[in-house]
Amino acid sequence: MLKILIPSMFMLLTTWTSPFKQLWSTILMYSFLVATLSLTWLAMPTDTGWFYINNYMAYDPLSSPLLVLTCWLLPLMIIASQNHLAAEPENRQRTYISLLISLQIFLILAFSATEMIMFYVMFEATLIPTLIIITRWGNQMERLNAGTYFLFYTLAGSLPLLVALLIYHSSMGSLSYLSLTSLPLTCSNLYADKLWWMACLLAFLVKMPLYGVHLWLPKAHVEAPIAGSMVLAAVLLKLGGYGMMRIMIILDPLTKELSYPFIILALWGVIMTGSICLRQTDLKSLIAYSSVSHMGLVAAGILIQTPWGFTGALILMIAHGLTSSALFCLANTNYERTHSRTIILARGLQMVLPLMATWWFLASLANLALPPLPNLMGEIMIITSLFNWSFYTLILTGLGTLITASYSLYMFLLTQRGPIPHHLILLEPSHTREHLLLALHLLPLLLLIAKPELVWGWTA
Amino acid sequence: MNPYILTILLFAMGLGTTITFASSHWLLAWMGLEINTLAILPLMCQSHHPRAVEATIKYFLTQATAAAMLLFASITNAWITGQWNLEFMSYSLPTTLVTVALALKIGLAPLHAWMPEVLQGLDLTTGLILSTWQKLAPFCLLLQINPSNTSLLLILGLASTLVGGWGGLNQNQLRKILAYSSIAHLGWMILVLQFFPSLTLLTLLMYFVMTFSLFISFKVNNSTTINSLSMSWSKAPIISSMVPFILLSLGGLPPLSGFMPKWLILQELTKQSLAPLATLAALSALLSLYFYLRISYAMTLTMTPNILLNALPWRLPSNQHTLPLAITTSLTICLLPLTPAIITLLTL
């Protein structure tokens, strides 16, 4: 664990002391090394149980896929940001890279935390670099509003979480993950306990996001620069899911009744945000709402607390992370050429950039959960476990799958097929860098078809 | 100001606070407070600007009222109990009166109205002294009296955090924002006073460090409004890049050190079964965070349109002593991992 964390911390030093001409290549190579080393986390000699590194950091089959995703994403973010930062002064480039690296450090500490308060502190710590990336390097003036929404939605949800964790700590004595399984809160019917349950979950529901409290996400994803969008979509949303999975242990048996409205809200959100996607004119906004839709399914899968639900949620989180990040990279290739996010401004791109169309095709197929990709595996497991919980959810989830398929196809057809608009007279050919970026996103997804046990979580 | 006069005044300010620290007799404590007040008055109006003089008068009147109330309360206690010792106030009337008097002295809501106006009239250095040094003596007294009424301190604390948050939302003058930030932080300190007084001291010291770095950062830029901060990135780029962290630390975001007092106070309040109060106080910190965030937007996270001439000023070597700024900024950002050591240090 430390052999990944300490090199990541020293990457900060490398950022500021590299000669400027070799900065990007050095950082890229360094982060790829760290990412490759992090793949060792996926090797699980046993099926369950924790792998102890020290008292404060450990990983288990639930957190290791997310850790590997975090480490894998940093080189991808570096590749994606290289172009739009090339025009900036030297110190700002170094600052940007430092923010990305510090985000990775906080995320590694968050996913490997063994104690809930450590997880909480790192969860909040990831807000600061993300806020700075969105508000300083975003491209439109709405980015300030986006940063404010992002910060305040998350904080308003997570401050009650802090109080709830402290309450649990003062009554139970420990917040370490190891002992959480043997210290559930005793069943009680007080209204205050229901509020405590709500306080525990609200932060993660806002982060995921759940449909009613999702307003920060379209703003933040759209206004962020490409690395910000990538890390938000791929990893930061998964912090919410991971936190929910960890804290569910202590929330029994209140969850049996109290989770009802949130499951319904999550499923309704799948349909609603999917329908909103069909009416979007802004490409990044479409992908952002698609993220809300997928994460609604993840939230429902976690809230019903069955093994298949958790497994499906974890697989869908990993697969969605890679897919959504790939889609944002594709949208960024459009943005770098036309400097606009409007979909209809750049249509019929298959004629102009046919190789990129391959990636658009694959990413759209992944988004609509085509078999045999892991996206489908996650969705099928969640839908099955929801069906087991209640038959009627099938209406909502089936409709949701249909709408997902239609907006993914809509996005693909609108950007790639059809006539080329007449105003597009100069589009740069696709860079190798962009192809590399998308290949690195989609190859892990394709490879996961062969061995999904890596990202299964505990059982099944 | 004449350096001899300045020396005498600063010495007298230090003397006043020290007398209050060292006293166990109410009369001596009151004397220390009065010496402190009188010593700072010339410092406050040294520029002879009408606004500064107005601020000085307002400060004098409120502090004199508070000191008089303190004196009367201690005399009442002496009548009732027959002794003048600081720690042995056991009747509720004198204790409550002393608490309210000290609340007026430091500027807790609802006795806060003088604070923004007074701070606005001062220059940044004197404002810093007002926000930090002048709070030491009253807190020394507050830490020593046994509170009579549990809810009085909690009401003062919660009202201060809420007023400090809401009051600062509509300001664009930096000194008023700093005043409301002071009120909010004082509220946090008072919340935990009766449960775990060391945390009050911890919060006070952390607040001193954070607000020192903020005041000095503003002084380096010589700016008193949010608008004027927008030019700071060209004058002092590194200070401009550190100020968002100082502001977010004041707002109490982890992993910066400003999170430490908030975390520990929330922990203590939940241990005392005051969880709804803890939640309310935590959410009121979000109000303050909004205007801290707005300052950081104006200063660092946006670049205002300006002509090229302004964008590239001569960066001449500065004569400012920035070492204190460097030290306090580092402490403001990096102190959270040392929390156990700091608590141990302060509970000795």
Side-chain angles (χ1 to χ4, degrees), chain B residues 51 55 58 107 111-122 130 163-164 167-168 171 173-183:
Chain B
R51 188 67 183 82
K58 281 181 186 162
L111 304 157
H112 65 283
W114 58 272
M115 182 85 131
E117 299 162 14
V118 167
L119 222 97
Q120 178 63 25
L122 307 174
L130 178 66
V163 162
Q171 308 295 340
Q173 293 286 333
L174 287 174
R175 289 166 289 179
K176 285 208 173 128
I177 288 181
L178 287 163
Y180 282 107
S181 133
S182 176
I183 296 171

Side-chain angles (χ1 to χ4, degrees), chain B:
Chain B
M1 185 181 260
N2 187 347
Y4 298 111
I5 306 287
L6 189 61
T7 314
I8 293 178
L9 289 173
L10 288 175
F11 175 72
M13 238 170 42
L15 181 70
T17 308
T18 316
I19 289 179
T20 311
F21 277 175
S23 65
S24 51
H25 193 286
W26 267 118
L27 221 47
L28 199 64
W30 171 80
M31 269 200 284
L33 286 173
E34 288 285 87
I35 295 175
N36 202 11
T37 310
L38 289 175
I40 201 178
L41 294 176
L43 282 174
M44 290 167 80
C45 60
Q46 60 182 324
S47 67
H48 298 296
H49 188 267
R51 188 67 183 82
V53 175
E54 175 190 340
T56 316
I57 301 287
K58 281 181 186 162
Y59 184 71
F60 172 65
L61 288 175
T62 52
Q63 300 290 307
T65 313
M69 228 172 11
L70 194 71
L71 189 61
F72 294 154
S74 52
I75 292 175
T76 313
N77 190 42
W79 269 340
I80 300 177
T81 59
Q83 49 87 27
W84 288 88
N85 204 317
L86 271 182
E87 289 124 27
F88 300 142
M89 286 192 111
S90 39
Y91 286 89
S92 62
L93 174 65
T95 318
T96 312
L97 211 49
V98 159
T99 314
V100 171
L102 290 170
L104 177 57
K105 261 228 178 275
I106 54 179
L108 283 173
L111 304 157
H112 65 283
W114 58 272
M115 182 85 131
E117 299 162 14
V118 167
L119 222 97
Q120 178 63 25
L122 307 174
D123 60 302
L124 283 165
T125 323
T126 321
L128 174 63
I129 299 177
L130 178 66
S131 295
T132 53
W133 184 260
Q134 298 292 92
K135 309 281 185 252
L136 277 175
F139 261 103
C140 161
L141 295 175
L142 272 170
L143 281 166
Q144 291 182 315
I145 57 180
N146 293 319
S148 60
N149 191 359
T150 319
S151 23
L152 173 67
L153 288 172
L154 296 178
I155 292 174
L156 284 174
L158 189 64
S160 299
T161 53
L162 289 170
V163 162
W166 262 310
L169 283 178
N170 202 23
Q171 308 295 340
N172 55 8
Q173 293 286 333
L174 287 174
R175 289 166 289 179
K176 285 208 173 128
I177 288 181
L178 287 163
Y180 282 107
S181 133
S182 176
I183 296 171
H185 281 269
L186 289 170
W188 278 92
M189 294 176 215
I190 292 296
L191 273 175
V192 78
L193 183 61
Q194 47 189 325
F195 304 122
F196 197 172
S198 312
L199 286 186
T200 305
L201 200 55
L202 174 94
T203 316
L204 187 66
L205 294 174
M206 270 314 305
Y207 172 68
F208 279 6
V209 169
M210 296 191 287
T211 204
F212 182 91
S213 36
L214 197 60
F215 263 101
I216 300 297
S217 306
F218 291 157
K219 185 158 183 299
V220 163
N221 292 317
N222 202 18
S223 57
T224 53
T225 63
I226 299 186
N227 280 340
S228 59
L229 280 177
S230 54
M231 290 307 301
S232 65
W233 66 270
S234 55
K235 284 186 274 186
I238 301 195
I239 295 182
S240 313
S241 57
M242 286 295 122
V243 165
F245 292 111
I246 304 175
L247 287 164
L248 292 176
S249 184
L250 269 170
L253 278 190
L256 305 166
S257 5
F259 180 60
M260 181 196 332
K262 293 205 162 61
W263 176 10
L264 295 169
I265 292 177
L266 289 174
Q267 186 170 27
E268 192 55 39
L269 287 176
T270 53
K271 278 190 199 159
Q272 304 283 339
S273 312
L274 286 171
L277 175 70
T279 318
L280 260 176
L283 290 174
S284 68
L286 285 182
L287 291 166
S288 322
L289 184 64
Y290 184 75
F291 54 78
Y292 295 140
L293 194 64
R294 194 164 51 192
I295 301 178
S296 68
Y297 281 169
M299 192 165 180
T300 315
L301 297 173
T302 57
M303 266 173 30
T304 53
N306 45 27
I307 57 178
L308 203 57
L309 207 57
N310 281 352
L312 299 169
W314 284 99
R315 292 188 202 165
L316 300 166
S318 153
N319 282 336
Q320 308 230 21
H321 301 288
T322 47
L323 180 62
L325 176 62
I327 296 177
T328 47
T329 310
S330 323
L331 290 176
T332 313
I333 297 179
C334 304
L335 217 49
L336 188 66
L338 289 175
T339 306
I342 297 177
I343 304 180
T344 319
L345 212 58
L346 287 170
T347 45
L348 282 172

